[in-house]
């Protein structure tokens, strides 16, 4: 009779672990209509992929992100800051579903932007 509970515990240890990156309920993305809403939407998309912000409180990272006309990342460079935070920030940017800019004018103003990550 003592073998059954041990077997259940061993099998429970084999259950897959749900990682927060793979099992997150995301709120709906904001509507993009102008420059301000585009900045907000980019920030929102990156934030939905940034986890464990509590581990980086008090640290900063500056990233330059280059975007193509469809809003896809064409380049990314860490400019300065904490290496571990910059690594996590780059992961978030790489995996974010960024929106396309609403116009050529907005793209021209945002095709290369510096984003400051400073969890609080």
């Amino acid at each position: 009779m003592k073998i059954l509970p041990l077997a259940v515990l061993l099998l429970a240890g084999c259950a897959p672990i749900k990682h927060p990156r793979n099992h997150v309920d995301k709120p709906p993305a904001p509507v993009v209509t102008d420059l301000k809403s585009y900045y907000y939407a980019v920030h929102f998309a990156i934030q939905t992929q940034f986890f464990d912000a509590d581990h980086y409180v008090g640290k900063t990272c500056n990233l330059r992100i280059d975007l193509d006309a469809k809003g896809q990342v064409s380049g990314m460079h860490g400019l300065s800051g904490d290496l571990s935070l910059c690594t996590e920030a780059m992961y978030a940017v790489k995996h974010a579903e960024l929106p396309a800019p609403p116009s050529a004018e907005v793209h021209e103003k945002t095709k290369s932007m510096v984003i400051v990550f400073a969890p609080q």
Side-chain angles (χ1 to χ4, degrees):
M1 290 294 171
K2 292 183 181 183
I3 295 175
L4 184 58
L6 180 59
V8 170
L9 286 174
L10 290 175
L11 289 175
C14 294
I17 298 172
K18 290 184 179 180
H19 193 278
R21 291 192 200 282
N22 300 326
H23 303 287
V24 175
D25 293 328
K26 291 189 253 181
V31 176
V32 178
T33 57
D34 59 7
L35 181 63
K36 184 176 179 179
S37 65
Y38 184 66
Y39 276 125
Y40 176 73
V42 168
H43 173 78
F44 175 84
I46 295 169
Q47 188 175 7
T48 62
Q49 295 300 311
F50 192 88
F51 301 95
D52 302 326
D54 294 343
H55 294 260
Y56 304 103
V57 171
K59 298 177 182 180
T60 61
C61 172
N62 297 314
L63 291 184
R64 189 184 84 219
I65 300 170
D66 301 320
L67 302 173
D68 66 17
K70 295 181 180 178
Q72 301 302 307
V73 177
S74 59
M76 182 172 21
H77 308 281
L79 300 176
S80 63
D82 180 75
L83 181 60
S84 61
L85 174 57
C86 287
T87 301
E88 186 70 17
M90 289 174 130
Y91 178 94
V93 171
K94 182 178 177 182
H95 290 89
E97 295 177 22
L98 301 177
S103 67
E105 179 183 339
V106 170
H107 173 254
E108 204 50 42
K109 292 179 180 179
T110 60
K111 65 183 177 182
S112 183
M113 63 174 82
V114 174
I115 298 180
V116 178
F117 291 83
Q120 298 178 6

